[in-house]
Amino acid sequence: MKTIAAISTPIGAGGIGIVRVSGNDALGIADAIFNFGKQTSRVRMGGKPVLQKWEPLKMHFGTFVAKDFCDRGYAVYFPAAQAYTGEDTVEFYLHGGVRIMQGALNTLLEEGAVLAEHGEFTKRAFMSGRLSLADAEGVIDMINADSSAGLRAAYRLMDGKVAGAVDVIFKQLEDVIAGLEATLDYPDETEDEVLPPLAGEIDECISKIDALLATAAQGRIAKHGINVVLAGSVNAGKSSLMNAMLKKERAIVADVAGTTRDTVEDSLEYNGVRINLVDTAGLRDSDDVVEAQGVVRAKRAVEGADIVLHVIDKTAPCDDGFDFYGKKVFTVFNKCDIGGFAIPRIAYAFAVSAKTGEGVDSLISAIASTYNERSGGGELITNERHISALLSAKRALESAKQGLAYTVDCTLIDLRQAYDALGQITGKTATEDIVNAIFSKFCIGK
């Protein structure tokens, strides 16, 4: 493959910028433009520069000599066996100016490298067997994570936890398929030995898939956060409560009923968990076309919620009979700093004051505690593609079990479909289109 190069740090001025080059010609290109020490020209012998001694995994101080400027920095050579991509790689750590980075990249390209495509460094790591496809998806999740829980889940994915769990099932199916194929080749000798335990093997694979799928709900929360919708009557203090939870003025607050006409969204992180808040219009019948549309959007937001905060004005409570579509509901009695109505003893009831902040932290803590992170750092399914593949594998295995009553051929077809679905997660059976689609989501320098 061609030697590739790219800027690996975000565009913009900074203290340090990184440019990397990877491929068979990486070291030769690096040696031609980076001089150890402060000299801008190389000692020559017979008209050619003397090759420098590049010690692997050592940070070499020197001078990067571009076409129209020089910069002092560091370079590290990673031999193929120890490189991220599985091929010779050199990284340059220079001053992080926009012009310096672009000039350094242009110099690498002039020396024979080609510009890397999106995610091509990680794609080469996958193609060289350094990473599974699921591990590579963990890399992009690490980059995009916006909470501690999301980072931990992404690290487990990148670290091979999901790929390892899927591989156990994959290899078990591989053995089952091999045994069944043997019955087709040698039916008289093998059928009695292979078929009796087959139903149990399929059940065991289904059970393992179910165990992975059972983590998907918490995996989605780890990656994207808990979706919390504030809903209730007009003037219950939903917007004020949202501001109190965020500790900033995000939503417009006024004494006029129906001030909130549209959904207002923001998020916070508590104990490592992201909480996505959605403030909504007060739920009531209205002749105002704009407010009525806001009510429609409020109901739509409730449908997508993990938790609904049913905000009630403690000074004027009423039985509003709202339909929250079977969602988990926290009943929040606002304005508890004002005397009056006694709060009923019901599950998931909270007394708060958006004005003084009383009870708000306890409410946030209760919301965050609904996320139960897996102890021991085990596998956690956070990717929709993985969920789809696991469901496809499960359906194929269930069909294979039913096919046991008919012919070995029918069962074998279904088992191969399950095998193929699981292999799409790790990349062992993934098509080129799937691989390209995944790596197209990466930045160019990763």
Side-chain angles (χ1 to χ4, degrees), residues 81-145:
Q82 296 165 297
Y84 177 71
T85 58
E87 57 191 16
D88 282 357
T89 301
V90 180
E91 292 185 351
F92 301 96
Y93 305 82
L94 307 173
H95 292 103
V98 175
R99 182 62 180 82
I100 294 173
M101 287 291 97
Q102 191 59 55
L105 175 60
N106 289 342
T107 302
L108 292 170
L109 301 181
E110 289 166 2
E111 290 293 328
V114 298
L115 183 63
E117 297 178 357
H118 287 272
E120 191 169 0
F121 291 96
T122 305
K123 184 177 180 180
R124 292 190 178 197
F126 162 67
M127 294 174 67
S128 66
R130 309 283 287 185
L131 298 172
S132 75
L133 198 56
D135 298 347
E137 288 170 299
V139 173
I140 193 65
D141 283 356
M142 283 289 291
I143 294 171
N144 293 332

Side-chain angles (χ1 to χ4, degrees), residues 153 156 162 165 208-223 371-374 378-383 386-387 390:
R156 291 199 292 272
V162 170
K208 290 175 181 176
I209 289 174
D210 282 338
L212 289 174
L213 287 170
T215 71
Q218 292 296 300
R220 180 187 61 78
I221 289 175
K223 185 173 181 178
Y371 169 66
N372 299 312
E373 188 165 352
R374 297 202 63 180
E379 63 279 353
L380 191 67
I381 302 300
T382 60
N383 189 296
H386 301 169
I387 294 172
L390 288 168

Side-chain angles (χ1 to χ4, degrees), residues 285-300:
D285 294 329
S286 176
D287 295 329
D288 185 305
V289 176
V290 177
E291 184 178 2
Q293 183 62 34
V295 172
V296 171
R297 294 187 180 188
K299 293 178 179 178
R300 191 181 303 147

Side-chain angles (χ1 to χ4, degrees), residues 238-316:
K238 300 182 294 296
S239 298
S240 297
L241 178 58
M242 180 177 184
N243 289 342
M245 295 174 75
L246 293 170
K247 293 180 171 54
K248 66 180 181 180
E249 297 297 317
R250 176 65 179 87
I252 297 174
V253 176
D255 293 333
V256 180
T259 298
T260 302
R261 300 295 188 94
D262 200 353
T263 56
V264 179
E265 302 179 13
D266 210 329
S267 63
L268 63 107
E269 183 175 342
Y270 186 87
N271 284 348
V273 181
R274 179 176 174 175
I275 300 175
N276 305 311
L277 298 176
V278 183
D279 183 25
T280 63
L283 299 175
R284 67 174 179 179
D285 294 329
S286 176
D287 295 329
D288 185 305
V289 176
V290 177
E291 184 178 2
Q293 183 62 34
V295 172
V296 171
R297 294 187 180 188
K299 293 178 179 178
R300 191 181 303 147
V302 168
E303 291 177 3
D306 296 308
I307 297 174
V308 175
L309 301 186
H310 181 194
V311 184
I312 297 174
D313 183 347
K314 177 179 175 291
T315 66

